[in-house]
Amino acid sequence: MSVAPLGQRAPILHMREIDKTFTGGVVALRRMSLEVNEGDFISLLGPSGCGKSTALRLIAGLMPPTLGRIEWEGGQGAGDLGVVFQEPTLMPWATVEQNVWLPFRLRGQSLASVREKIVEALALVGLEKFAKSYPRELSGGMKMRVSIARALVTRPRLILMDEPFAALDEITRQKLNDDLLSLKAKTGATVIFVTHSVFESVFLSDRILVMAARPGRVIREFQIDAPYPRGMEWRTAKEYGEIARETSDTLHGALAPEAAE
Amino acid sequence: MTIADTTELPARSDAGQGPVFDADEERRARKKRIEGIAKYVIPLAVMSIAIWYWDRIVVWNEIEPYILPRPGLVLQTLIEDWGTLSASLLITLQITGLALGVAVIGGVGLAIIFSLSRYAEMSFSPFAVILQVTPIVSIAPLIFIYIESRMVGLLLCAWIVAFFPILANTTLGLKSADHNLRDLMTIYRANRWQRLRYLQLPSALPYFLGGLKIAGGLALIGAVVAEYVAGTGGIGTGLAFRILEAGYRLQIPRMFAALILIAVTGVIIYATTSLIAHLALRKWHESALKRD
């Protein structure tokens, strides 16, 4: 699926001036505004405590913002949102197929009636042969793929990923990053991806929001025009290095005063 | 001068030989095989020696059978009195089984109510704890004053003892669902019932089964202890009463025979509940998985 160039995409979600203050007075997020457009691959990049996971939880509707509004263009329907957590978060008592079935099952749809969609989602992550396996029989990377298949299966308008590959080894992580991009190319999915890895964010995204802590806030947005599909040639491109450098500098610039304390 | 090790390695022929193991690996494999057999042989052997020694002690010290009977006599009594003893065994089994069944329903039911409402838990868990920590022997006499039916009284005693581990474990299990999965349920807009059915109950299953294993043994203990307190004989009396009765009449071999039946029943209950747990969890839960 082709995606319109940056700046010409239809919006699907608006975050307007979001503040989130926890009881006890911790300002997790201050004045975060974000327009998510169809086909965007947005990375929220920052150190721990910068509110990137809070932002994700707000978008997921797991808690309300203290101030500001989050609006879905045309309202949010069931299955509009897919989520991938840092852990695979599979039900160990259910087979791979039953795990991917969950979003449909909760809407009262039988396994038989959505089997085609499940098979398709599993094929997208290369696990169609493991439909009947139990999670314990799979490796860490494979479990993560099941988790991604579950997030994709409803063809959501937006997929939220909260440091999904942080716990995996470097080789598996790179492979999954490659696969994630080819998935995005096939499905045209819109993704918000939380990470603390500069290289991962530059490799994957066309928009990077660099965030800083205390209070959690967005300090700068980078747009990356490099076309998809991206592969090894992008990892070794001169522009990749330059953006990574600049992103890194921005991150460390925000950290500096604290380091001096 | 050279650093390389020039020692000649022995010539190796890999052709068509199948896998070759070193001495250490072979020793390990042998040890594992022996352990596999010993697992069954050693307990049996030690048990046999113990029983033989019991027999010898009686013979060597010329102990009278009304003080300590020989194992052969106990077995003989078990066979001769089988009519009376099996009828009593059946009663004890009925009370144990019924109490366990009601404990499962009551324990799980109450645990679900607790998981639905924190206030319900705050209100009623003190009662559950008080019932659990008060020894059943001290509650039983009161129960038999207020409850006319002996059977119902026995059942109630066995239930009080058996139900708490099921309640406590299941309550813990229902709360222990993975927090990300809980978030996922919220994101996919699961209602209360779906959350319970698809997430909390399966998460609680291993905890519940652990509670069931404990409760099975406790139900038997409750049934036996309550009968000691209830005392009165007549028709429909369980194994505990047979032990009391035989004791009054100095029928020591019969006491032993009834005791053995209770012990065997306890072992069978434990084995059954363990088997149930294994069958229910073998596909997915850590406790039931073999390490390879």
Side-chain angles (χ1 to χ4, degrees), chain A residues 57 60-62 76-79 81-83 85-87 89-94 99 102-103 105-108 134 136 150-151 153-154, chain B residues 177-191 194-195 197-204 281-286 289-290:
Chain A
R57 292 179 67 79
L62 290 169
Q76 188 194 355
L81 191 66
V83 181
F85 297 96
Q86 186 168 351
E87 291 91 36
T89 312
L90 303 176
M91 303 178 287
W93 55 83
N99 266 292
L102 182 74
R105 193 181 197 185
L106 293 173
R107 281 191 252 157
Y134 282 86
R136 65 165 178 95
R150 179 181 57 198
V153 74
T154 58
Chain B
D178 181 279
H179 62 101
N180 281 336
L181 276 172
R182 274 186 276 173
D183 283 348
L184 202 66
M185 290 281 166
T186 309
I187 288 164
Y188 288 131
R189 299 173 183 179
N191 59 37
Q194 289 175 321
R195 201 176 270 268
R197 164 84 183 73
Y198 297 131
L199 176 60
Q200 288 180 291
L201 286 178
S203 302
L281 301 179
R282 74 196 149 120
K283 288 234 173 91
W284 61 275
H285 198 256
E286 288 296 334
L289 300 181
K290 274 195 184 138

Side-chain angles (χ1 to χ4, degrees), chain B:
Chain B
M1 197 183 137
T2 168
I3 306 171
D5 183 3
T6 53
T7 317
E8 286 274 323
L9 281 169
R12 216 201 285 199
S13 76
D14 292 335
Q17 288 300 307
V20 181
F21 298 113
D22 55 75
D24 183 57
E25 281 299 312
E26 270 178 23
R27 201 166 48 242
R28 266 173 220 272
R30 205 178 319 123
K31 203 175 154 198
K32 216 172 159 187
R33 263 201 312 278
I34 291 170
E35 261 174 23
I37 301 166
K39 200 166 66 177
Y40 300 102
V41 173
I42 288 182
L44 274 177
V46 172
M47 189 64 86
S48 309
I49 290 169
I51 292 172
W52 173 82
Y53 191 61
W54 164 10
D55 188 65
R56 289 300 92 192
I57 286 175
V58 176
V59 174
W60 290 335
N61 298 305
E62 294 171 357
I63 300 173
E64 297 295 337
Y66 56 81
I67 294 175
L68 181 64
R70 291 172 64 175
L73 182 59
V74 171
L75 188 66
Q76 199 187 328
T77 314
L78 187 60
I79 295 164
E80 278 170 6
D81 294 355
W82 181 247
T84 324
L85 289 176
S86 64
S88 295
L89 173 64
L90 203 63
I91 302 276
T92 304
L93 276 181
Q94 272 172 358
I95 294 170
T96 308
L98 268 174
L100 188 58
V102 181
V104 167
I105 296 168
V108 172
L110 204 54
I112 289 175
I113 292 172
F114 282 3
S115 83
L116 292 176
S117 159
R118 208 170 274 273
Y119 293 114
E121 184 177 0
M122 289 174 195
S123 310
F124 296 111
S125 58
F127 290 95
V129 173
I130 289 168
L131 274 181
Q132 168 66 17
V133 298
T134 313
I136 189 65
V137 236
S138 52
I139 312 177
L142 279 175
I143 289 175
F144 289 109
I145 289 173
Y146 297 123
I147 290 175
E148 210 157 313
S149 161
R150 193 165 169 279
M151 191 74 177
V152 174
L154 291 178
L155 200 57
L156 188 62
C157 290
W159 176 79
I160 287 175
V161 189
F163 119 107
F164 189 76
I166 294 185
L167 169 69
N169 273 26
T170 311
T171 305
L172 180 65
L174 288 171
K175 284 179 189 167
S176 68
D178 181 279
H179 62 101
N180 281 336
L181 276 172
R182 274 186 276 173
D183 283 348
L184 202 66
M185 290 281 166
T186 309
I187 288 164
Y188 288 131
R189 299 173 183 179
N191 59 37
R192 200 67 202 76
W193 163 246
Q194 289 175 321
R195 201 176 270 268
L196 187 69
R197 164 84 183 73
Y198 297 131
L199 176 60
Q200 288 180 291
L201 286 178
S203 302
L205 188 63
Y207 294 82
F208 161 74
L209 290 168
L212 184 68
K213 269 196 238 182
I214 303 168
L218 285 181
L220 179 64
I221 293 175
V224 169
V225 168
E227 214 186 347
Y228 271 103
V229 178
T232 50
I235 45 155
T237 47
L239 281 173
F241 178 73
R242 290 291 162 223
I243 292 180
L244 279 179
E245 185 192 49
Y248 295 143
R249 296 180 187 169
L250 277 185
Q251 292 171 325
I252 310 301
R254 200 177 188 179
M255 289 178 83
F256 272 93
L259 188 62
I260 286 171
L261 280 184
I262 292 178
V264 170
T265 307
V267 171
I268 290 173
I269 290 173
Y270 184 76
T272 311
T273 47
S274 299
L275 182 71
I276 292 172
H278 176 77
L279 291 179
L281 301 179
R282 74 196 149 120
K283 288 234 173 91
W284 61 275
H285 198 256
E286 288 296 334
S287 68
L289 300 181
K290 274 195 184 138
R291 280 189 183 277
D292 39 13

